[in-house]
Amino acid sequence: MYIQSNDMPLLTDLYELTMAQSYFQEEHNGLAAFSLFIRKYPPHRGYFVSCGLEDVLHYLEEFHFNTEAVDRLHRTNIFSDAFLDYLKTLRFTGEVRAVPEGRLFFCDEPVLEVTAPIIEAQLVETLIINQMNLQILIATKAARCVQAARGRKIIDFSLRRTQGLDAGMKVARASYIAGAAATSNVLAGVTFGIPLSGTMAHSFISSYDQEIDAFRAFVKNFPERSILLIDTYDTLAGAHKAVQVAWEMAARGQHLQGVRIDSGDLLTLGREVRRILDEAGFSDVQIVGSGGLDEFDLEELSQQNAAYDAYGVGTKMGVSGDAPWTDMAYKLVSYNGHPVLKLSEGKISLPAAKQVFRFTEAGKLNHDVIALLEETMEGGEPLLQKVMIDGQIIQPLPSLPEIRERFQTEFGRLGDHYKLIRDPAVFPVQISSDLQALKEHFEDRLVAPEPGLAGPPPRDLGES
């Protein structure tokens, strides 16, 4: 099933709409601020990569319930006619401040804040989390894969295993932002301008009587994209056949681009194939490794100086296999100008609209401070930028290459001990004294007994 743009306002949790009707009926629609943040790191993570903002902004700009959407809600027999009539004219009129895509952020820091009448801000919650959570998750996973590869190219091979069509497109974009060199996803390539890369499947090889005939047929048609999959039967025998094809191509003035190994002991096979190619005079033929890889595998291969020039990384990156979700929350932090916070055990939030200030030292990221929106901090760079006013994007959005370059610059300034693939150091994130004082003030106020809620009068134990 394809989701049409007109259906997007219905792509929400039921309680968003039931709360919205209650707000509407009670004329409780003051200005609200919501913060989007991640409470804790998934295993072995030490940072997050901001991603998904562009989709969120386009969604908010186009947000509306058309006649068909309202009719479908009417048929649920859940909502009042007055509320449904109200939805027909509803648009998002709020303000958004956000950490730009490609920049790093850390636990408890707001990556996005929405300020709008509470009905509007509430109704867009589900989709904002849906879009930001996935893309942040994948961009962070891809950054780890690129880091672990230590200069060897990473190619996104994940499309067939991602969780649906929309996810496949977002994975390609997010992984490219985080440093992947190319994608096998043709639609993503032509849509976003991402370089395309791919070789062949084992079915192509096995459809021919002889492996070398499959190799010859492929390079005949694609001499400039001639990467041969050599592990269908016997990897080393396949490498020798690739050498034969390379000689034949050289005689025609062509050049074999590379070979791919997709199974077996990648470390040992890579070294043996490299030796076979080098001894035949083809040291410039590249070797691509693939087959269920993630950053943990890539780290081990890199530590042993594996003989690969690039890696195809698919399933485990495309679904963030070891950590397929984040503890992302979108919490009300102020209403009608009054700070709000949550005190649930393990889920305490910070009150009021906020800013995050980033401090550097000797060109490296040093620490962040979460502060109140109105605060200023000398020497600190404010991360949350205003990107939407009155429901309209206020400036041209950066291109994908610009976002990619932004990430590379920022990531290069993060200390190596925060980038470790296993057990990274925790980046220092502080809370400003003003924000801390406000938090403590409201904690004390909220835990105090409310007037009239002291409980029933004590029972006279003398009564029967």
Side-chain angles (χ1 to χ4, degrees), residues 310-354:
Y311 296 105
V313 183
T315 303
K316 292 180 182 179
M317 183 176 75
V319 302
S320 190
D322 70 308
W325 58 278
T326 70
D327 190 9
M328 178 174 281
Y330 178 88
K331 294 302 176 187
L332 181 68
V333 294
S334 75
Y335 182 72
N336 266 347
H338 300 292
V340 172
L341 80 164
K342 180 177 178 179
L343 293 180
S344 304
E345 185 175 350
K347 295 184 176 182
I348 296 175
S349 60
L350 295 171
K354 289 173 282 295

Side-chain angles (χ1 to χ4, degrees), residues 188-210:
V190 299
T191 300
F192 301 128
I194 301 172
L196 287 168
S197 181
T199 58
M200 59 184 67
H202 292 105
S203 58
F204 183 83
I205 306 296
S206 57
S207 70
Y208 285 82
D209 290 338
Q210 299 294 326

Side-chain angles (χ1 to χ4, degrees), residues 289-308:
S290 60
L293 300 174
D294 64 7
E295 70 268 41
F296 302 107
D297 303 311
L298 296 173
E299 176 80 353
E300 291 181 12
L301 289 167
S302 294
Q303 287 175 348
Q304 299 182 73
N305 196 28
Y308 291 93

Side-chain angles (χ1 to χ4, degrees), residues 52-173:
L53 177 61
E54 181 174 312
D55 284 332
V56 166
L57 294 178
H58 286 313
Y59 165 72
L60 294 177
E61 220 174 31
E62 297 166 7
F63 177 83
H64 72 285
F65 290 84
N66 66 4
T67 301
E68 182 182 355
V70 173
D71 288 345
R72 292 167 77 179
L73 287 176
H74 177 76
R75 291 195 293 271
T76 67
N77 295 316
I78 296 174
F79 305 100
S80 70
D81 290 341
F83 176 63
L84 294 176
D85 286 340
Y86 167 76
L87 290 184
K88 292 177 183 178
T89 61
L90 184 66
R91 297 291 186 274
F92 182 79
T93 62
E95 172 184 302
V96 177
R97 295 178 303 108
V99 176
E101 288 192 283
R103 298 211 63 173
L104 301 176
F105 70 103
F106 305 93
C107 272
D108 295 323
E109 297 182 345
V111 66
L112 177 146
E113 289 201 336
V114 170
T115 303
I118 196 167
I119 292 177
E120 299 172 24
Q122 195 79 69
L123 285 175
V124 300
E125 172 185 8
T126 299
L127 192 127
I128 288 176
I129 295 177
N130 176 277
Q131 295 298 297
M132 297 289 286
N133 178 70
L134 172 67
Q135 296 183 66
I136 288 169
L137 186 73
I138 300 302
T140 304
K141 179 74 169 180
R144 288 166 55 78
C145 290
V146 172
Q147 170 75 7
R150 298 189 189 177
R152 298 165 178 86
K153 292 181 180 178
I154 294 295
I155 305 163
D156 163 38
F157 276 7
S158 67
L159 177 59
R160 62 184 60 193
R161 301 280 178 78
T162 52
Q163 317 290 21
L165 305 178
D166 184 61
M169 295 294 285
K170 288 173 168 48
V171 167
R173 181 180 183 273

